[in-house]
Amino acid sequence: MKRNLLLAKRVTGIVTVTTLLWGQAAFAQVTVQEGTAAAEAAVASKSGVKALQAPRSRFPDVGADHWAVKHVAKLAIQDIVRGDDQGRYNPDSPVSRQDALIMIVRLLGLEDEALANKLEVVMPIEVRPDAKPYVVQALDSKWIDLGRETNIALAEKSKPWGDQPATREWVSRVVIRALGKTAEAEAGSDGAESFADAGSIGSDYIGYVSEAVKLGIVTGFEDGTFRPAATVTRAQMAAFLGRSEKYLAQPNAKVRKGVFAGWKDTLTMRVYDESGSLQEWRIGQEPQFYDEQANSVSISTSDLRPGHPVYALVEDGVAYYVERLSAELQTKKTEGKLVELDLNTLNIKLATADNQQLTIQLDPNVIAVNTDGAGMDIALLPKGTVVSLEQVVGIPGAKPSRLVVLQLPLNKDLNGTVENVNLQDRKLSVRTSSGVETFPLSDTVSIFAKGKPLEAERLGQGDTVVVAVRDSVIESIDVLKQVVEIVETGKLVLGGDKLLTVERADGTYGTYAVADNVKTYYNGVQLRYTDLLEGDQVRLEISENKINKIEIIKRNLTVIRQVTILSYSDKDKVLTVKRADGTPAAYALTDSTVLQYNGQTIPLAQFGTIFANGKRVDLTVNASAVMQVKMSTAYEGTLFRYDSQTREITLQDAADGEYVTFKLADYAYVRIPGKSSGSLSDLQIGDEVRVQLNAAQDRVDSVIVRREIVYRVADLKKPLYAGATPSIVVMEAGSGATSTYLVGSSVKIEQAGRTGLTFDNLKTREPVALRFLGDTLESIVILTPVRGEVTAVDAASGILSVRTSAGEVKQVEIKGTTRIYRSGSVLNSLSQLSPGDRVEATLDPEGNAHMIVFTAESRTVTSYDRNTGVLKLARKTLSDTQTDYVFLPGARIHKGGEEYHPNFLMQNQSVKIYVWRDEILELERT
């Protein structure tokens, strides 16, 4: 038989002789080398000691506080690493290439296969006889390349190739190839480029070092270096292999994973395995208990609590090593207000925030604590107590075993001032001497001011109040002093220094005194009191019979567009113009007249300099004054008509709703968001546009469309240094194409019901609407998707009902168009959805629906990384490249009625996922 990658021959009688030589060599070299099975037998034979029943896990030179003790113990129990003839591990000794390969062969469970190979092999690289079958196995498995290693051996004259110390970059390459990650390693090197000495990593190693870093198998040093040529010690090798174990396709037969369920007795632990079956493991004589996040710090049995995910090494029902995979209990929390508690049945009834009533049975051993962890008597909790029930997930049939008291019912009176009134959520915030306190309003709350009933709508910030809180709910409010006692609206009839008269909507009149410090506002801008005009629609805030604040709601204004300046008198402040119909007119300007030029306000003294004769302007006037003079350079509004024959375009002006028609220049161009080159034929009636006039102000030379486009956030790139501009990478749901945009300080971040948002409020994998004016990004609107299972479809009414992962059924009301992305197709009818579909439904600011349908697939779990949140699934086919997935916010992970945390997903579990691209909305264990 001829080996395809080695120079090998089968010669009668030689195989047996070679085998004996290997065995003899192993007896002769049981010193500081990685022990083989033959060597271990030799040690036992020479010492006269029979083989121990329990696997070895401790070495005298690897103390309990050694940084690698956990990894050494774990590998020793699995017979992956062994000691020397003195029983020592020699953690600080360098590991040779051949011994590194022996360990890796054992890690992969291939030792029997390697030793079963009875071929006589001639190799150009020199190794110990006992290591030869392991090296042959590594060559045959393509972990190392014979030609490459031969060249390395030829360059090294001091020692045989196998005796040379293994370097960090060499071990990284071999381990990654052994784990089947060659393709990933050769695809990139970004994980290693952050090291200060990245340039010293060999070009044929850097991809493997990068992949080993990404997987957490190797790390750098505190000084930011990797030290690729540094020798790997036996302790470091144990750590490398211990971290690699999670990526094995076929773990060691002793490996078990599950969820700790509790102690049957002091020596027997109970664990739900990956199939959900309850197992009982006895504890070995010298059990090893560790936490995954620490290399050397052991934990006690009392640190294990029901619900902790665990990894164990078990043989014949005995656990010799137990590792807690997460210190945090994965719990399902249910919050609500205590309605009733039956101590006999342990049934508790809660009223939730969405006004549902839930009845839940508590665990017989339930404990009650406050938010500080101090114990409380559950029998003494009064009705109205706000509690959180914590139920461990991953344990079939588990009931809430922990009740956290979030807030006991409060009975108190608040003396202070109103900070905020939220009538939508029916909450009132009051500022007292100790701070701001917020409580819900009772449905029957009574509000009085000076002995008379007062509507809640009349409460205002700064009002002095006494608030009665009973059982954490506001039952009554006594208003001692109102900042605004009366709110009056009407049309300004007559205004003077001391009195102001308005005509109410019912035709009656009201006259009020004006406070000396009255404030006047229009469109959020503070004006002078003398800027009020007859006919203004105003809102008056009155306290102590005086007007303290005037807000101009609407002005009776007329916009006269495209008038041509004939002359302006600085002395008289008189502007003479020619109207569009050719008739002349004269207007008096005042110091209150606002002059606008290209978005800037110009002082009246500079009028003649900027607004030259012959220029066209728009005048905003009322019956008695010119309010604004604006240079006619651009107009914004809604496209009403486009006539390609006359080349005229008509807008409904955004400022006053009037229709304005313009001639188009012969060279007029169009800029449309999302299109590299637009034309007039691309314009749609109803488009929001800005038209830019030419220098002569008589033709439109550009039409810029404002549009919102819904994307999905693919990435967010924060600036690397102060003063730099962040950017957003967005993906189009249909094509998957991505685009990158700078998010400068002028770009607004918006979301319905929220203010003060910044770039940090954006999240990846969430839908957003980008609002563009042409190719200029103006704002980013954060959208709120509804994700879950479709329960009903009413295509006629445009209503979709979706049950979320929390069990709440939400209705999505569609007021515009519908776009559905399903399996690469784009559909446009709600009727193409069915109950049972898993969807993400998003409404854009215009009420248009954008929906993604998640496809059901049956897959097998490979691993879950709790640090990165990446779920690895086995390939569907050999050509399948998609193996890495992430869970969307609110994703449901369950088996039947039991909810799970992704930490409890185990290797080789069969699952059904609902997926779109690499995003999982729902996972069901099958």
Side-chain angles (χ1 to χ4, degrees):
M1 180 179 179
K2 186 176 181 180
R3 300 296 295 273
N4 58 1
L5 59 81
L6 298 174
L7 183 61
K9 296 179 182 178
R10 179 182 292 276
V11 182
T12 304
I14 292 181
V15 172
T16 305
V17 173
T18 305
T19 305
L20 291 173
L21 287 173
W22 287 353
Q24 292 165 1
F27 279 87
Q29 297 187 31
V30 184
T31 53
V32 185
Q33 66 183 54
E34 180 52 31
T36 61
E40 294 288 328
V43 174
S45 176
K46 288 198 294 184
S47 65
V49 180
K50 293 183 180 180
L52 296 173
Q53 294 298 315
R56 182 171 199 166
S57 63
R58 297 182 187 273
F59 297 92
D61 55 348
V62 183
D65 58 349
H66 191 280
W67 72 268
V69 62
K70 178 178 78 171
H71 300 293
V72 172
K74 181 161 60 171
L75 297 182
I77 291 171
Q78 297 178 73
D79 205 27
I80 294 169
V81 299
R82 300 168 184 164
D84 63 13
D85 58 348
Q86 303 299 315
R88 296 169 304 195
Y89 183 69
N90 304 296
D92 298 324
S93 297
V95 66
S96 66
R97 291 178 182 140
Q98 56 201 0
D99 286 339
L101 292 177
I102 289 173
M103 296 179 186
I104 296 171
V105 167
R106 292 187 190 134
L107 178 72
L108 273 290
L110 299 175
E111 184 171 42
D112 290 344
E113 181 180 324
L115 296 177
N117 180 10
K118 303 301 180 182
L119 293 178
E120 187 233 341
V121 178
V122 179
M123 294 188 299
I125 56 176
E126 187 178 350
V127 299
R128 289 195 319 264
D130 68 284
K132 202 169 188 179
Y134 298 90
V135 177
V136 170
Q137 183 69 40
L139 286 163
D140 220 14
S141 301
K142 295 183 171 55
W143 304 343
I144 58 175
D145 178 76
L146 185 60
R148 186 177 182 282
E149 300 302 328
T150 300
N151 290 334
I152 293 175
L154 291 174
E156 298 170 339
K157 302 297 185 182
S158 59
K159 288 183 183 180
W161 176 92
D163 289 337
Q164 291 284 358
T167 64
R168 287 168 59 81
E169 63 181 4
W170 186 88
V171 169
S172 297
R173 178 185 172 96
V174 177
V175 169
I176 291 301
R177 293 177 74 88
L179 292 176
K181 305 284 185 182
T182 302
E184 292 88 337
E186 294 179 350
S189 60
D190 53 322
E193 291 174 347
S194 60
F195 291 119
D197 57 349
S200 62
I201 302 174
S203 59
D204 50 351
Y205 290 110
I206 191 163
Y208 295 94
V209 172
S210 173
E211 187 64 19
V213 170
K214 288 180 183 177
L215 297 178
I217 294 171
V218 297
T219 57
F221 292 90
E222 291 182 356
D223 61 358
T225 61
F226 180 73
R227 305 177 195 174
T231 298
V232 176
T233 66
R234 288 172 58 80
Q236 291 170 343
M237 191 68 194
F240 290 173
L241 299 186
R243 298 173 190 141
S244 302
E245 188 185 29
K246 68 174 74 172
Y247 302 109
L248 294 177
Q250 187 62 47
N252 188 283
K254 297 176 183 176
V255 172
R256 303 285 189 276
K257 289 183 180 179
V259 179
F260 181 63
W263 294 96
K264 180 181 179 180
D265 52 51
T266 56
L267 295 176
T268 307
M269 62 188 302
R270 307 175 75 192
V271 176
Y272 282 100
D273 64 18
E274 296 175 280
S275 68
S277 300
L278 184 63
Q279 304 292 332
E280 293 183 353
W281 302 333
R282 299 188 310 281
I283 301 302
Q285 278 190 324
E286 294 184 333
Q288 310 275 309
F289 285 85
Y290 292 97
D291 186 271
E292 186 188 43
Q293 301 303 315
N295 287 322
S296 61
V297 181
S298 61
I299 62 174
S300 68
T301 55
S302 62
D303 292 322
L304 279 179
R305 291 176 55 190
H308 279 147
V310 294
Y311 159 106
L313 296 174
V314 181
E315 187 173 24
D316 297 330
V318 179
Y320 297 99
Y321 178 96
V322 178
E323 189 171 308
R324 183 178 62 185
L325 297 180
S326 174
E328 292 185 9
L329 285 173
Q330 307 304 328
T331 57
K332 174 184 176 182
K333 296 182 180 180
T334 304
E335 219 173 276
K337 190 178 293 184
L338 177 61
V339 176
E340 186 179 332
L341 174 62
D342 188 329
L343 294 176
N344 294 318
T345 63
L346 285 180
N347 284 335
I348 186 171
K349 184 180 290 186
L350 300 181
T352 63
D354 56 359
N355 296 320
Q356 294 187 35
Q357 289 214 347
L358 304 177
T359 300
I360 301 171
Q361 188 174 40
L362 302 175
D363 187 272
N365 298 313
V366 63
I367 61 171
V369 297
N370 62 17
T371 53
D372 295 325
M376 301 187 71
D377 190 338
I378 194 171
L380 300 180
L381 295 179
K383 291 181 181 180
T385 302
V386 180
V387 301
S388 173
L389 304 182
E390 297 182 0
Q391 171 185 331
V392 175
V393 299
I395 298 181
K399 298 179 177 64
S401 58
R402 182 179 170 91
L403 182 151
V404 180
V405 176
L406 302 179
Q407 183 181 335
L408 288 168
L410 287 177
N411 294 287
K412 60 190 301 187
D413 290 335
L414 303 177
N415 291 273
T417 57
V418 173
E419 180 73 13
N420 183 54
V421 183
N422 185 340
L423 294 180
Q424 182 176 352
D425 296 334
R426 293 192 59 77
K427 291 183 178 180
L428 177 71
S429 299
V430 179
R431 180 175 294 278
T432 66
S433 57
S434 58
V436 177
E437 298 185 60
T438 302
F439 293 93
L441 294 170
S442 165
D443 292 337
T444 58
V445 61
S446 61
I447 307 173
F448 284 85
K450 297 180 179 179
K452 296 181 180 180
L454 185 73
E455 299 85 359
E457 290 79 6
R458 293 286 306 277
L459 287 173
Q461 186 177 22
D463 288 351
T464 303
V465 293
V466 176
V467 177
V469 179
R470 301 294 179 262
D471 291 339
S472 301
V473 175
I474 295 175
E475 294 292 348
S476 67
I477 303 171
D478 186 9
V479 182
L480 304 181
K481 181 181 179 181
Q482 284 186 276
V483 173
V484 179
E485 296 177 350
I486 302 174
V487 175
E488 184 78 271
T489 58
K491 183 173 69 174
L492 183 62
V493 175
L494 185 63
D497 291 340
K498 300 297 183 182
L499 296 174
L500 185 147
T501 302
V502 294
E503 180 183 358
R504 304 185 183 99
D506 61 4
T508 61
Y509 293 85
T511 300
Y512 303 94
V514 179
D516 294 336
N517 59 346
V518 65
K519 291 181 171 57
T520 305
Y521 296 90
Y522 180 51
N523 288 338
V525 178
Q526 186 168 355
L527 306 178
R528 295 170 301 184
Y529 173 70
T530 54
D531 291 332
L532 287 170
L533 300 172
E534 185 178 337
D536 283 345
Q537 292 289 329
V538 294
R539 178 183 182 273
L540 310 178
E541 293 187 1
I542 304 164
S543 182
E544 296 180 352
N545 297 318
K546 287 188 177 182
I547 301 173
N548 295 298
K549 180 180 177 181
I550 304 171
E551 182 181 355
I552 302 171
I553 302 171
K554 184 180 179 181
R555 307 202 98 156
N556 186 19
L557 303 175
T558 302
V559 179
I560 308 172
R561 294 179 178 83
Q562 294 278 293
V563 301
T564 303
I565 297 176
L566 298 178
S567 65
Y568 174 69
S569 170
D570 281 327
K571 179 181 178 181
D572 301 322
K573 299 180 182 179
V574 173
L575 174 66
T576 305
V577 300
K578 181 174 67 174
R579 293 174 175 162
D581 61 4
T583 60
Y587 298 91
L589 307 187
T590 69
D591 291 336
S592 299
T593 303
V594 178
L595 309 181
Q596 287 280 314
Y597 178 75
N598 284 343
Q600 295 184 344
T601 300
I602 307 299
L604 185 60
Q606 297 181 18
F607 186 94
T609 304
I610 304 297
F611 295 85
N613 293 346
K615 288 292 185 180
R616 296 188 180 188
V617 295
D618 298 335
L619 304 180
T620 303
V621 302
N622 76 342
S624 58
V626 176
M627 305 304 300
Q628 179 177 272
V629 180
K630 181 181 178 182
M631 186 70 74
S632 305
T633 55
Y635 295 87
E636 292 194 11
T638 304
L639 181 62
F640 178 73
R641 183 178 66 92
Y642 163 58
D643 190 328
S644 59
Q645 299 297 320
T646 62
R647 294 189 61 78
E648 289 183 335
I649 187 171
T650 301
L651 306 184
Q652 184 177 20
D653 194 290
D656 60 4
E658 295 293 323
Y659 293 93
V660 192
T661 300
F662 303 94
K663 286 282 189 181
L664 289 164
D666 293 338
Y667 53 83
Y669 65 91
V670 177
R671 286 192 294 172
I672 298 178
K675 292 182 73 73
S676 56
S677 59
S679 65
L680 291 166
S681 60
D682 293 322
L683 296 174
Q684 300 176 13
I685 302 303
D687 276 344
E688 290 185 39
V689 297
R690 172 188 287 175
V691 295
Q692 196 78 32
L693 303 185
N694 59 7
Q697 300 176 283
D698 62 351
R699 293 285 190 277
V700 171
D701 63 7
S702 68
V703 182
I704 308 172
V705 178
R706 177 178 281 110
R707 225 169 248 180
E708 289 177 338
I709 305 177
V710 173
Y711 291 105
R712 201 173 193 77
V713 180
D715 195 13
L716 296 166
K717 297 183 178 181
K718 294 186 177 182
L720 299 176
Y721 54 89
T725 303
S727 60
I728 182 172
V729 182
V730 292
M731 181 182 70
E732 200 277 320
S735 66
T738 59
S739 304
T740 302
Y741 299 97
L742 292 174
V743 184
S745 58
S746 63
V747 178
K748 297 178 181 178
I749 311 294
E750 304 172 352
Q751 186 176 18
R754 299 179 67 187
T755 58
L757 302 183
T758 67
F759 184 83
D760 291 335
N761 294 108
L762 298 172
K763 295 180 180 179
T764 57
R765 302 186 183 274
E766 293 291 356
V768 291
L770 270 56
R771 184 179 294 123
F772 296 91
L773 179 62
D775 53 9
T776 300
L777 179 61
E778 292 186 317
S779 65
I780 301 173
V781 182
I782 300 173
L783 305 178
T784 304
V786 176
R787 298 181 175 123
E789 180 181 354
V790 174
T791 59
V793 180
D794 186 344
S797 302
I799 297 176
L800 180 73
S801 299
V802 178
R803 180 185 291 110
T804 68
S805 60
E808 181 183 2
V809 176
K810 292 188 175 182
Q811 289 192 334
V812 181
E813 187 174 352
I814 303 162
K815 298 179 181 178
T817 61
T818 298
R819 289 177 68 84
I820 302 172
Y821 303 98
R822 183 198 287 267
S823 302
S825 300
V826 181
L827 313 174
N828 56 17
S829 174
L830 195 59
S831 62
Q832 292 166 301
L833 291 177
S834 303
D837 281 340
R838 268 59 167 190
V839 300
E840 175 187 282
T842 305
L843 295 179
D844 66 21
E846 304 300 321
N848 303 308
H850 305 260
M851 303 192 190
I852 293 172
V853 180
F854 291 74
T855 305
E857 294 182 5
S858 295
R859 301 291 290 271
T860 302
V861 174
T862 300
S863 65
Y864 175 72
D865 190 326
R866 65 181 55 82
N867 296 316
T868 62
V870 173
L871 174 68
K872 288 184 177 290
L873 301 177
R875 290 180 171 87
K876 293 180 288 186
T877 63
L878 290 176
S879 60
D880 186 15
T881 59
Q882 182 65 57
T883 59
D884 291 6
Y885 297 85
V886 296
F887 291 102
L888 285 171
R892 187 183 180 209
I893 304 164
H894 64 103
K895 182 178 182 181
E898 291 288 335
E899 304 293 328
Y900 287 86
H901 190 277
N903 281 354
F904 297 108
L905 294 173
M906 305 295 182
Q907 188 176 30
N908 296 325
Q909 279 182 342
S910 296
V911 296
K912 182 179 183 180
I913 61 172
Y914 291 88
V915 62
W916 179 76
R917 299 188 185 276
D918 65 340
E919 300 174 351
I920 295 176
L921 175 64
E922 182 178 336
L923 181 148
E924 181 179 6
R925 289 176 52 186
T926 56

